[in-house]
Amino acid sequence: MKRKKPFADDMSARLMAELDNSRRTGEYAVITPKGKGCITCLASSIKFGLMVLDSEKGRTGLS
């Protein structure tokens, strides 16, 4: 996954898959066990985790 797209990295994908059994399918689209939706439809804990990962990458310059 390319870093330039939101939450498009291996750690974010793993977080969504392991904790919510969901996966990113488009820029802000996801597929969850409940069906298709947008990233804002994910559980608050998953969104928080994604923001922490993204913040850490920005701080450390990781991609």
Side-chain angles (χ1 to χ4, degrees):
M1 291 185 185
K2 295 180 181 178
R3 171 67 179 104
K4 294 179 183 179
K5 295 184 179 181
F7 312 115
D9 59 87
D10 294 334
M11 288 300 293
S12 294
R14 187 173 173 190
L15 177 85
M16 287 189 281
E18 290 185 10
L19 298 181
D20 197 45
N21 198 25
S22 58
R23 64 183 169 88
R24 186 176 174 278
T25 60
E27 193 163 317
Y28 288 100
V30 294
I31 293 181
T32 71
K34 295 178 183 178
K36 294 179 182 178
C38 57
I39 217 158
T40 59
C41 298
L42 295 172
S44 295
S45 56
I46 303 301
K47 291 187 284 190
F48 178 75
L50 290 171
M51 294 306 293
V52 169
L53 288 173
D54 195 58
S55 174
E56 185 64 21
K57 279 182 246 143
R59 196 170 62 93
T60 61
L62 297 174
S63 56

